[in-house]
Amino acid sequence: MDEKLNFLINFLLNEMPEYKKDAAKISDKKILFRSLMNVRPPMKLNPEFLKVQDEFLSHERDLKGIVRAKDLAEIQPGISVWQGDITRLDADAIVNAANSKLLGCFIPCHRCIDNAIHSASGLQLRDECNEIMKAQGNDEPVGCAKITKAYNLPSKFVIHTVGPIVFGALTDKNRRELADCYKSCLRLAEEKNLENIAFCCISTGEFHFPNDEAAKIAVETVKKFLTESRSVKKIIFNVFKDLDLKIYEKLLSEH
């Protein structure tokens, strides 16, 4: 894999020579490759590069280990909570907490879920998102969602939604917009006849939505949807922090 990694890094640096000086300061090749992926703007993708990139990312995916969504225990009928890296889940769809540009995170190796998903999926994901946004002609509104392929992720699809940003006190508008995120994602899953979908904790990170309030809205919206859904049979609440795990487990054990 080292040879493939060298090829990928050199290819991206030849595309973006302005980063060669900074790249020389990064000794970890995996971090360098991810950083270059993150800063690369949407532009034509070379088939040879994509072949090697896919081989490398598939190898990395298998090293991390794939978690079968269907095998996750349910806390309530049709609802599971799983703590871990969402890019390991082989759910029919995983949900990405995106920004309004819908192109992924351009900050090298940022710890947000948007960065993690785009980095593990491959550059095709940014390219597909760019085509969607060009056709749309405007930023993605809060509470809406778009669906794309998942490429090198174990899931079949990625559903991208833009959550509300909370400035100061939480408002009823913030609450409605967050509920709309879940509803929009679930409608897309239903339209695609998907059987399961894994949600991240939308808006609770960089967008400052209080974790406990966000979880309540998520659970209420999902439970109502499951009573009406024709195709979606299982919802996974994917959490990363211990705090969110405790919140969801408590909520679902009480109701």
Side-chain angles (χ1 to χ4, degrees), residues 74-114:
E74 297 180 357
I75 292 183
Q76 289 190 16
I79 300 177
S80 299
V81 178
W82 182 72
Q83 185 178 27
D85 178 356
I86 200 169
T87 67
R88 295 178 59 203
L89 279 175
D90 81 335
D92 288 343
I94 60 171
V95 173
N96 177 30
N99 59 52
S100 61
K101 300 299 180 185
L102 223 69
L103 297 180
C105 173
F106 283 82
I107 302 172
C109 295
H110 193 246
R111 290 173 63 89
C112 69
I113 195 165
D114 198 12

Side-chain angles (χ1 to χ4, degrees), residues 7 85 119 204 229-230:
F7 169 84
D85 178 356
S119 298
T204 59
S229 173
R230 297 182 307 278

Side-chain angles (χ1 to χ4, degrees), residues 182-252:
Y182 285 89
K183 291 173 186 175
S184 296
C185 292
L186 291 164
R187 279 196 295 269
L188 281 176
E190 189 83 5
E191 287 171 13
K192 289 286 186 180
N193 292 313
L194 306 185
E195 292 186 4
N196 57 67
I197 177 174
F199 282 99
C200 63
C201 299
I202 302 167
S203 277
T204 59
E206 300 290 325
F207 287 7
H208 309 298
F209 205 110
N211 298 61
D212 54 348
E213 287 289 329
K216 287 176 187 176
I217 291 167
V219 169
E220 288 171 5
T221 307
V222 158
K223 288 180 74 172
K224 184 177 187 300
F225 174 83
L226 282 173
T227 64
E228 305 164 350
S229 173
R230 297 182 307 278
S231 68
V232 180
K233 306 301 180 189
K234 186 171 187 175
I235 308 289
I236 299 114
F237 289 115
N238 167 249
V239 300
F240 191 74
K241 298 177 181 177
D242 292 340
L243 169 67
D244 290 313
L245 179 63
K246 290 175 183 175
I247 290 171
Y248 274 97
E249 287 182 337
K250 186 171 186 291
L251 269 175
L252 291 165

